[in-house]
Amino acid sequence: MVRKILSALIVFSTITAPLASSAAVLFEGYSKINAGEDHIGYVISRYEFDDKKKHFISTYFIKTGKGPTETTESLKATADSELAPISYEYTSLAGKDTKIIDAKFKAGAMTALVSTNGKSSKIEKKIPKGTFLSTFLVYLMLKSKEGLRSETKYEYQAIAEEDAGISKGQALVGKEQMFNDYKVFKILNTYKDSKFLSYVNERGEVIATNAMGTGISTELVATPAEATNGQSYSATILKTLFGTVPAGTQNVVAQGKKAKQNAPATTIGAPVQAPTPTTQPETEPGQ
C-alpha cells in the first residue's frame, strides 16, 4: 500500500545539479517521507532538459524502511519537447520481490518488457494522443495554455510507470498561499482513485505532498542528511542512475537555507519580523 501511494505522490515530487552532458538540470533535491510523525524514508529526484536532443528527463530514487521491510524504487524516464513519452525504465525491490519495466514508445504505441521475480512478460498497447508519463505532470501544467495559475482545472490521462497502465486524472489548482514560508499553489490531484495534495511554487518546484487520509507525506528539505536521517544509501547505485551522487542544492529550499547562512548578522536593536505562520491543512483547494 505504501509503495502504491509513494509512486502516485512522485507525480508531484521532483528536484538539480549540473551534469557533464548537454542536459540542463531544471530541479534536483532530497525529500523526506513521513508516515504520520515517523520519518520512514527519502526521495532523491531530478528533472533536466537535454537541449541538444530536445528531451525532458526525469530520474528518481525512493527508499523506505529498514532490514526486512526495506523497499526501493527507481525511475529513468524520457519525453520529447512536447512531453510525449519516448522511454522509461522502472525498478522496484521489496524484500525478495523484484519488478523491472523497460518501456519504449513509437508511432503511438507502447512496448514494455516486464520482469516480475524473474518471470518475463510483454505489454503492448496503443497510446491515445495526449497521454504522457505521470512523472512529467507538473511540467505539462507549466507548458499548458493556461500555465500554472490559481483556480484552474487540468484533466489528463497518464501512464503510471510502476505498472505501465493508463489512468485518467484531474488536477485542481487552488489559490496561492504561504506554506513553510514559501508562496505556493495548493493542488488537489486525483489519480488512480486516490487524492493527493501538493504545494507547488510558480517554478513547478514541489515543496510538500500529502496523500489524503493515509498519513503518508513528503517534504522537500535543504540537505541530504535531513532526508536520509541516518538511513544508508549506495553511492554506486546513485551514480549508475543519476550519473553522479546528487547534491540536492538546486531548489528553492536548499538555496533559501544557503542565503540565510550567508546573510549578514542582524544589527542589535533592529526590528525583527515575525515569521509567517505555517499550516498544513488537509483540505481541498478553495476550501
Side-chain angles (χ1 to χ4, degrees):
M1 180 63 177
V2 172
R3 289 174 59 203
K4 180 180 178 181
I5 291 170
L6 288 174
S7 294
L9 279 176
I10 294 304
V11 168
F12 269 114
S13 290
T14 29
I15 327 177
T16 21
L19 301 176
S21 68
S22 60
V25 176
L26 304 174
F27 175 74
E28 175 192 282
Y30 286 70
S31 297
K32 64 180 181 179
I33 303 170
N34 295 319
E37 299 297 320
D38 297 327
H39 186 165
I40 63 169
Y42 60 88
V43 182
I44 309 171
S45 178
R46 174 189 289 161
Y47 283 107
E48 50 195 315
F49 183 74
D50 188 323
D51 190 59
K52 185 176 181 179
K53 295 181 178 179
K54 305 300 180 185
H55 288 173
F56 283 95
I57 304 165
S58 171
T59 311
Y60 69 66
F61 178 81
I62 307 172
K63 182 179 182 295
T64 60
K66 295 180 180 180
T69 64
E70 179 177 308
T71 66
T72 62
E73 293 183 64
S74 66
L75 176 73
K76 189 83 168 185
T78 305
D80 67 18
S81 60
E82 297 302 316
L83 295 170
I86 294 174
S87 65
Y88 77 83
E89 296 180 9
Y90 170 86
T91 302
S92 69
L93 175 62
K96 295 182 179 179
D97 293 328
T98 62
K99 185 175 185 179
I100 301 172
I101 300 177
D102 185 359
K104 300 289 190 298
F105 300 83
K106 188 176 181 179
M110 176 182 71
T111 300
L113 302 178
V114 183
S115 175
T116 305
N117 296 328
K119 296 183 179 179
S120 299
S121 61
K122 180 186 286 189
I123 298 174
E124 294 181 311
K125 63 177 64 175
K126 292 183 178 180
I127 304 299
K129 186 177 180 179
T131 302
F132 60 97
L133 294 168
S134 68
T135 187
F136 292 112
L137 176 56
V138 169
Y139 286 93
L140 188 83
M141 294 168 70
L142 287 171
K143 284 174 63 66
S144 68
K145 183 178 179 180
E146 297 83 6
L148 184 58
R149 60 184 179 85
S150 297
E151 309 299 332
T152 52
K153 179 173 69 173
Y154 299 84
E155 303 277 358
Y156 64 88
Q157 58 181 6
I159 299 161
E161 292 86 359
E162 72 274 11
D163 59 20
I166 300 174
S167 297
K168 291 184 177 181
Q170 180 187 82
L172 297 174
V173 183
K175 296 179 180 179
E176 281 189 290
Q177 64 179 63
M178 296 303 295
F179 183 92
N180 287 357
D181 298 327
Y182 298 99
K183 193 173 183 180
V184 299
F185 296 98
K186 184 169 70 172
I187 301 173
L188 173 64
N189 186 39
T190 303
Y191 184 64
K192 298 182 71 174
D193 300 320
S194 298
K195 291 186 177 183
F196 308 90
L197 283 175
S198 300
Y199 299 87
V200 184
N201 68 14
E202 62 181 3
R203 295 166 54 187
E205 296 183 322
V206 180
I207 307 303
T209 63
N210 190 332
M212 298 175 67
T214 68
I216 304 297
S217 62
T218 68
E219 180 184 348
L220 181 64
V221 292
T223 65
E226 292 175 75
T228 58
N229 193 33
Q231 293 192 41
S232 63
Y233 67 89
S234 169
T236 299
I237 291 175
L238 295 183
K239 287 178 181 178
T240 300
L241 183 61
F242 291 93
T244 61
V245 175
T249 57
Q250 291 177 278
N251 60 79
V252 67
V253 175
Q255 291 168 356
K257 182 175 181 178
K258 183 178 180 180
K260 288 181 180 179
Q261 291 174 336
N262 294 335
T266 303
T267 303
I268 297 176
V272 178
Q273 184 177 355
T276 303
T278 59
T279 57
Q280 298 188 34
E282 192 170 305
T283 57
E284 298 186 9
Q287 295 185 355

